[in-house]
Amino acid sequence: NEYISLYTYSVLSPSEELFYRSYLMIPNHIFFSDFGKVLFSGVDIVCGYAIYLIFQFLNVNQRKAIQFSCFWFLNPFVIIISTRGSADTIVCFLVVITLFYLLQEKICFGAFFFGLSIHFKIYPIIYSILFIFYCMDLDRKRKTRWYSYSMEFIVISCSTFFFCTFFFFSFCNKC
């Protein structure tokens, strides 16, 4: 399992989950063997900080925002997953950053990161209904017929997903 990233290009297909994780682990062979654990732990820390920023944006006082983000930082389940070298922390970060941008009504950025998260692993698609309903609520509050946040979210996230999929399949010549 340690040397699987060396054979990724010739053996694995982009439709396999191991494909992306093994590309992320190539620096394990160049720099040091625990590069992936450091990378995923770092993404975990950035994710916790993004959770803190979400609570700050929602005008939660600083003490409560720190307490809520500590639920992420000090959760043993999260710590074990990131330190054992699982790429799920990247998907969690992409979903949290999607929520961060949607709350700021930066639909384009949120949709981009959401499409990227679905491309990375398929299970974040379960959040799509919630995100689309949130965008529909923003549309309802704006009362406009000519522009739709929900359609923007759908088009950009699907475009990101399909572009990334096409890129990696063409990159590997396995179409």
Side-chain angles (χ1 to χ4, degrees), residues 22-171:
S22 58
Y23 266 110
L24 288 171
M25 295 301 104
I26 288 175
N28 275 6
H29 306 288
I30 298 170
F31 300 117
F32 62 100
S33 62
D34 289 333
F35 177 83
K37 293 180 181 187
V38 172
L39 172 72
F40 298 137
S41 297
V43 171
D44 225 4
I45 291 169
V46 173
C47 187
Y49 183 68
I51 291 170
Y52 170 77
L53 291 177
I54 287 173
F55 284 114
Q56 286 291 300
F57 182 78
L58 295 174
N59 294 324
V60 174
N61 70 25
Q62 186 172 8
R63 180 183 163 103
K64 290 241 184 226
I66 291 171
Q67 287 174 346
F68 289 141
S69 61
C70 280
F71 282 127
W72 180 267
F73 283 124
L74 302 176
N75 186 341
F77 187 69
V78 172
I79 294 169
I80 290 170
I81 285 177
S82 63
T83 56
R84 76 177 176 98
S86 175
D88 286 334
T89 58
I90 294 175
V91 178
C92 290
F93 170 71
L94 291 171
V95 171
V96 167
I97 207 73
T98 298
L99 180 61
F100 176 73
Y101 281 123
L102 286 181
L103 289 173
Q104 293 183 345
E105 296 184 20
K106 296 181 180 179
I107 307 301
C108 186
F109 290 120
F112 171 77
F113 284 112
F114 188 63
L116 201 58
S117 71
I118 294 173
H119 174 72
F120 203 85
K121 286 196 175 191
I122 194 69
Y123 71 82
I125 203 166
I126 63 174
Y127 303 118
S128 59
I129 299 296
L130 299 173
F131 291 150
I132 291 169
F133 280 159
Y134 180 76
C135 291
M136 288 171 65
D137 189 49
L138 292 176
D139 290 335
R140 186 183 54 78
K141 289 178 183 175
R142 287 186 26 227
K143 297 180 184 174
T144 181
R145 293 183 178 191
W146 303 108
Y147 187 75
S148 170
Y149 280 152
S150 53
M151 286 309 297
E152 179 184 1
F153 183 82
I154 292 169
V155 168
I156 293 173
S157 60
C158 288
S159 298
T160 303
F161 170 75
F162 288 122
F163 174 77
C164 290
T165 302
F166 174 76
F167 174 76
F168 276 102
F169 268 101
S170 63
F171 176 70

